[in-house]
DNA sequence: AAGAATTATTTGTCTGGACAAATTTGGTTA
DNA sequence: TAACCAAATTTGTCCAGACAAATAATTCTT
């Protein structure tokens, strides 16, 4: 008693998955063209395209008109999905907060910061210190933002204005934010930051580093320092897709 | 100077989106059939199917062979997507770590804990203390897990065994984990936990509370205590979908 | 040797068609 | 009136074909 018949395109999709997972088609390399795959599997172009569509939907390949299909990864991209509806939801800053710029300067990266933000030790970057507030004198976050030096003037203007800096930077170069990275750790309050929050140097603080990227690369990296304890809790909700 | 020409199927997809968002096709009701849409828009069935495929990918409709297309929601399901490949990636515990159970007991919830885990002050819950380790005597996390009392015995068995507790609990009631919630904060090290890590009481620690739910409700809530500073950094990567 | 133009290749958009599989609807029978 | 069966309807699978748009490769010109 054979199993239910699966569609031809699913069988082909599975075979290509297998070949990719086993290293027959390396990450970064091109798959055979649609025409070649039609010849290999003796099926119509529609069937091949349906199989490739499945791989594309899983983030395993990208397809470019005129170029072909490139392997992006060797396993499906996700099992669990976390949904964000907006940038403020992502950063957990309500739109009613505002950033007050305290100081900005060019700075030479030390090795610790360079490693965290993706620059190189000794490079000159533009550094902005500010306080994000809900109400006047009610600090939500102390923010240290690093941008590549050539974005310095623009970033400073954006910091003074309204709207997120990274969106303004991306917009200026005609691109969109495509990727965000977030690193969370507990740190002792540095004296200059503890003073802003009225807490003792060395008290536990939550420090969240966020890096925003567009196609061209890093736009901005910001260290966000928050109160410890119940003074700031970073919340995340994850709906799990059925696989 | 007109904008770039958009594909016919995209225009139709957008028009159907509009109609759904404006209430012309109500949630739960059926869309017109493919054949009707072909007649209405004077395009081939391929073009209609491509448009419906886009709505389906956004979770706006479902399509059933023999029945038709049903409206599931009136707006796209998400703008930003964060992907996790596996449970260990979600929790950032490699599968090679193991949980060593130290102590388990029934406990009466105080108001602070009750509020955090979703119980009621005065309720009896089952509490397990353990250390998650990479290598023997190399603690990654100190874990305090609360489960509803009726799961107590099973949870204890699962804690001793391999595999995540919440998955075992869900499996036992014939359900799957459908939702996870995570709350991250910086806290001073309690004495009994600082001792496990060899750090002073009051030192900054990262505390991540995770709650796992199935359709029946809360399965388990665990406080995970990690080293502060560079001793533990919680990393999150977010690919932003184009909207 | 470098840059521009042309050609070849590849995927994207779209048509028309056919048969299969699943669901819904309508008619008949007990 | 309920159950069963057949017919109609709808989406799923798959074919062949054509032209457009984008990219890569090759050729030509300076």
């Amino acid at each position: 008693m054979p199993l239910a018949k699966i569609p031809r395109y699913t069988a082909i999709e599975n075979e290509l998955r297998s070949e990719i997972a086993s290293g027959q088609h390396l990450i970064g390399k091109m798959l055979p063209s649609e025409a070649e795959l039609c010849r290999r599997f003796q099926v119509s172009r529609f069937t091949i395209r349906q199989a490739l569509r499945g791989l594309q939907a899983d983030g395993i390949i990208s397809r470019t008109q005129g170029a072909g299909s490139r392997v992006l990864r060797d396993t499906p991209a996700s099992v669990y999905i976390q949904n964000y509806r907006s940038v403020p939801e992502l950063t957990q800053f309500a739109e009613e907060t505002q950033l007050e710029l305290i100081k900005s300067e060019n700075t030479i990266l030390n090795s610790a910061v360079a490693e965290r933000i993706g620059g190189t030790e000794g490079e000159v970057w533009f550094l902005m210190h500010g306080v994000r507030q809900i109400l006047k004198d009610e600090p939500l976050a102390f923010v240290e933002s690093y941008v590549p030096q050539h974005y310095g003037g623009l970033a400073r203007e954006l910091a003074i204005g309204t709207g997120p800096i990274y969106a303004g930077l991306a917009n200026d170069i005609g691109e969109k934010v495509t990727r965000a990275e977030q690193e969370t750790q507990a740190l002792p309050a540095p004296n200059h930051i503890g003073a802003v929050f009225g807490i003792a140097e060395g008290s536990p603080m939550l420090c969240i580093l966020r890096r925003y990227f567009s196609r061209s690369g890093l736009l901005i990296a910001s260290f966000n320092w928050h109160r410890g304890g119940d003074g700031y809790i970073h919340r995340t909700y994850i709906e799990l897709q059925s696989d």
Side-chain angles (χ1 to χ4, degrees), chain A:
Chain A
M1 179 67 169
L3 295 178
K5 172 180 174 331
I6 65 169
R8 220 167 292 179
Y9 59 79
T10 302
I12 291 167
E13 181 185 328
N14 291 341
E15 185 149 349
L16 293 174
R17 276 179 197 278
S18 237
E19 291 177 3
I20 291 168
S22 68
Q24 206 165 330
H25 304 292
L26 296 177
I27 293 173
K29 301 296 183 185
M30 304 302 285
L31 278 188
S33 70
E34 292 178 1
E36 282 176 47
L37 292 170
C38 288
R39 285 191 294 272
R40 169 179 163 192
F41 291 105
Q42 290 298 302
V43 292
S44 78
R45 191 170 161 222
F46 176 89
T47 306
I48 292 295
R49 293 177 62 76
Q50 190 82 344
L52 295 177
R53 210 175 269 137
L55 295 176
Q56 188 179 15
D58 276 0
I60 293 184
I61 63 169
S62 69
R63 299 167 73 200
T64 307
Q65 183 173 344
S69 307
R70 186 179 301 281
V71 179
L72 295 180
R73 45 190 313 133
D74 53 16
T75 54
S78 66
V79 173
Y80 301 104
I81 297 286
Q82 181 168 7
N83 300 311
Y84 298 98
R85 290 180 186 270
S86 63
V87 172
E89 190 173 337
L90 175 64
T91 57
Q92 304 198 345
F93 297 164
E95 290 181 352
E96 300 84 43
T97 66
Q98 65 186 39
L99 183 66
E100 176 183 338
L101 188 64
I102 293 174
K103 183 174 74 165
S104 59
E105 62 196 344
N106 285 316
T107 188
I108 298 178
L109 297 187
N110 64 43
S111 72
V113 171
E115 183 174 339
R116 295 297 299 280
I117 70 174
T120 305
E121 180 180 3
E123 264 182 335
V124 178
W125 282 53
F126 190 68
L127 169 62
M128 294 178 289
H129 304 265
V131 176
R132 182 169 294 280
Q133 308 183 325
I134 301 173
L135 300 173
K136 184 67 177 173
D137 293 328
E138 179 91 45
L140 173 65
F142 185 90
V143 186
E144 291 169 328
S145 298
Y146 291 81
V147 297
Q149 194 183 16
H150 60 272
Y151 288 145
L154 176 59
R156 192 169 186 288
E157 276 182 51
L158 291 167
I160 294 170
T162 59
I165 299 173
Y166 53 81
L169 292 176
N171 195 48
D172 187 66
I173 59 176
E175 295 183 354
K176 289 190 170 191
V177 178
T178 57
R179 180 177 169 82
E181 294 173 355
Q182 180 170 279
E183 296 186 353
T184 305
Q185 70 200 127
L187 289 173
N191 186 46
H192 70 289
I193 298 178
V196 171
F197 287 88
I199 59 178
E201 177 177 5
S203 300
M205 291 193 84
L206 190 68
C207 181
I208 305 180
L209 166 64
R210 290 194 183 92
R211 300 187 290 263
Y212 296 92
F213 298 84
S214 72
R215 270 188 45 227
S216 306
L218 183 78
L219 293 170
I220 185 170
S222 300
F223 291 90
N224 297 267
W225 295 80
H226 299 283
R227 288 181 186 278
D230 294 343
Y232 185 81
I233 300 181
H234 189 75
R235 294 187 168 91
T236 306
Y237 305 99
I238 305 170
E239 305 288 342
L240 308 179
Q241 277 194 330
S242 53
D243 46 37

